Amino acid sequence: MAEASPKHSKTLKAAEHKGKPEVYMLRDWKEYLGESFLIIFSVILALVLTEYINSRHEKSETRDLLNNIKEELIKNRQAEQDQYNYQKKVLKNIDSALNSKAFQQKILSNDEFHLEYIAPEGVVNRDLNRVAWDIAQSHNITTKASFALIVKLTDTYNNQARIDKVEEKVASVILSRESRKPENIHETLMLMRDNYRGWAFDRAQAQIARYDDAIKMLEKENN
């Protein structure tokens, strides 16, 4: 029996293939609707869970930021109280020097200003920090806390910055060329006293009250 040619063989295979029955799965509209519903539900669930997790994270972060600010203000309040007590002694020393030529000559001798006789621990003896506040601002704390709290904190830190200027202002007086002239020592001491009072000492009690108010508001907001 003669073998079929390759061309004829391909034709037979094609015919055989065409002769095989094909099965189609018929699905009604309910099945399509059910699958669509599951897909939509999965997407919505994922979005809800993501939003919930993000919200929890944001609340936790805000709570930590506010707690850090509270701890910073507590330390600043103590530092401001210590500084107030220290500057009270400094001002007393300045008053004593203003009434004593001998004391003035002791403070200014050989063209050198001896601050240690007036302020033995330096112009200021404590630092008032704002690291926690700066970090909180970089994390958009103004959009996460109440408006009243943000106003209070902004006012507290702004006034703290004014008190911090006392070191710069007093230093500019005693480091000037004019302060090294013996005939100007009385005026130098007067300027020192005015700067201490105007920038720091006379502001201290009001600032301590601001710290107290801010700390109370932080405790209330963070509960």
Side-chain angles (χ1 to χ4, degrees):
M1 184 175 177
E3 293 184 3
S5 65
K7 184 176 181 182
H8 183 64
S9 177
K10 289 181 180 179
T11 304
L12 290 174
K13 288 181 179 179
E16 290 174 0
H17 178 73
K18 288 181 179 179
K20 289 182 178 179
E22 294 185 7
V23 179
Y24 294 94
M25 296 294 294
L26 297 178
R27 306 168 69 186
D28 60 19
W29 64 271
K30 293 182 180 180
E31 291 180 278
Y32 285 111
L33 184 62
E35 287 185 2
S36 299
F37 175 78
L38 286 175
I39 293 172
I40 295 171
F41 175 77
S42 299
V43 172
I44 293 175
L45 180 61
L47 290 174
V48 170
L49 287 175
T50 300
E51 183 66 25
Y52 174 75
I53 293 171
N54 289 340
S55 177
R56 287 287 299 272
H57 175 73
E58 186 173 293
K59 287 180 180 178
S60 177
E61 181 184 73
T62 301
R63 188 162 48 249
D64 290 341
L65 291 171
L66 293 179
N67 188 60
N68 289 339
I69 293 172
K70 187 186 79 170
E71 293 302 318
E72 182 171 78
L73 292 183
I74 290 172
K75 292 178 181 177
N76 284 349
R77 185 199 185 284
Q78 184 59 54
E80 180 58 24
Q81 184 62 59
D82 293 343
Q83 190 163 264
Y84 175 78
N85 295 333
Y86 171 68
Q87 289 175 353
K88 185 185 293 186
K89 296 177 183 177
V90 171
L91 288 169
K92 185 177 180 181
N93 290 337
I94 292 175
D95 287 339
S96 297
L98 285 170
N99 295 315
S100 172
K101 290 289 185 182
F103 197 178
Q104 292 174 20
Q105 292 173 357
K106 192 175 180 180
I107 293 169
L108 184 62
S109 61
N110 298 322
D111 296 326
E112 186 175 354
F113 195 97
H114 295 278
L115 180 65
E116 66 272 17
Y117 291 121
I118 299 175
E121 298 179 39
V123 176
V124 296
N125 69 330
R126 296 288 185 274
D127 290 325
L128 303 176
N129 296 313
R130 56 174 297 134
V131 176
W133 175 236
D134 288 340
I135 291 175
Q137 286 181 302
S138 71
H139 285 76
N140 296 320
I141 193 64
T142 55
T143 64
K144 300 173 183 177
S146 68
F147 178 76
L149 177 61
I150 295 302
V151 169
K152 173 57 69 175
L153 291 175
T154 301
D155 179 61
T156 300
Y157 278 100
N158 284 347
N159 277 281
Q160 176 179 298
R162 294 186 183 98
I163 291 174
D164 276 338
K165 282 184 175 291
V166 67
E167 188 169 29
E168 174 190 341
K169 297 297 182 179
V170 172
S172 67
V173 172
I174 62 179
L175 294 177
S176 68
R177 185 182 297 274
E178 294 300 312
S179 70
R180 306 309 166 97
K181 296 178 180 180
E183 63 270 23
N184 292 336
I185 183 62
H186 190 274
E187 181 181 359
T188 297
L189 291 170
M190 290 283 289
L191 288 172
M192 285 182 65
R193 185 187 66 180
D194 292 347
N195 275 295
Y196 265 114
R197 285 195 170 278
W199 287 102
F201 187 78
D202 291 346
R203 297 173 182 264
Q205 294 304 311
Q207 182 63 11
I208 289 172
R210 288 189 191 92
Y211 286 138
D212 288 337
D213 291 343
I215 291 167
K216 288 178 182 176
M217 290 182 70
L218 282 163
E219 289 174 345
K220 184 177 180 180
E221 179 119 348
N222 230 7
N223 286 337

